[in-house]
Amino acid sequence: PSHAYVPGRNARHPEGAFDAIRETVAEGMSLQELAESAAFRTGLLYLQEGFFWEAHEVLEPVWMALPEGSADRRVVQALIQMANAFLKRRMERPKAALRLCAMVRDLLAPCGEAEVMGVDVAMLSRRVAWLEAELQREYDAI
């Protein structure tokens, strides 16, 4: 993307800017196909590179395509909420970000420490714990 969108701070991307990526997910795709889709891979990359709003945009169709109640769906939802937590931190809303971190922990808890859709759940759990500690320090400083 040309920039990382932060609501209230800069311009939103044009309508449909991520449609081509989102459309790499189709109803009836297998778990393997979803894990290899451009939407999932790009979402992970965006999350890693600090494009948090954009990560949510492209991960959402993957989440919607996964079976209700599955570990895969929980992990993708955790990734989306993690992106939201980082975005809220960037927006200087630590309390909201802390609530999202708690959601991420709750989503990951039943998944154990296995790898789900190629995502290391234990590593993701450590990352949310780190973010929570940082946010708590920021919140306490207010």
Side-chain angles (χ1 to χ4, degrees):
S2 59
H3 64 282
Y5 173 55
V6 179
R9 294 221 181 132
N10 59 13
R12 186 174 173 153
H13 297 283
E15 192 65 38
F18 300 96
D19 286 355
I21 298 168
R22 292 171 56 89
E23 290 167 2
T24 64
V25 174
E27 190 175 326
M29 289 176 75
S30 70
L31 179 59
Q32 182 71 25
E33 290 169 326
L34 289 168
E36 293 172 358
S37 70
F40 186 66
R41 292 283 156 219
T42 303
L44 293 176
L45 179 63
Y46 285 176
L47 182 57
Q48 179 182 332
E49 297 296 322
F51 293 96
F52 305 124
W53 185 89
E54 298 79 4
H56 181 166
E57 278 294 298
V58 299
L59 286 171
E60 188 175 50
V62 178
W63 170 72
M64 292 172 57
L66 289 163
E68 191 79 37
S70 67
D72 308 294
R73 187 174 172 113
R74 294 179 74 83
V75 167
V76 174
Q77 187 175 4
L79 290 167
I80 289 169
Q81 297 304 354
M82 176 79 90
N84 287 338
F86 274 108
L87 181 60
K88 295 295 188 242
R89 180 185 189 204
R90 189 172 282 164
M91 294 168 69
E92 298 175 9
R93 296 184 54 202
K95 190 173 180 182
L98 281 165
R99 280 194 307 272
L100 289 161
C101 286
M103 289 175 64
V104 172
R105 276 189 290 105
D106 290 347
L107 286 163
L108 295 177
C111 300
E113 296 189 3
E115 190 172 283
V116 176
M117 289 187 69
V119 174
D120 181 339
V121 175
M123 184 276 308
L124 190 55
S125 295
R126 287 191 301 276
R127 188 169 184 199
V128 76
W130 172 85
L131 179 58
E132 276 185 299
E134 291 294 307
L135 287 163
Q136 195 60 58
R137 276 193 283 279
E138 293 168 13
Y139 187 69
D140 291 346
I142 294 175

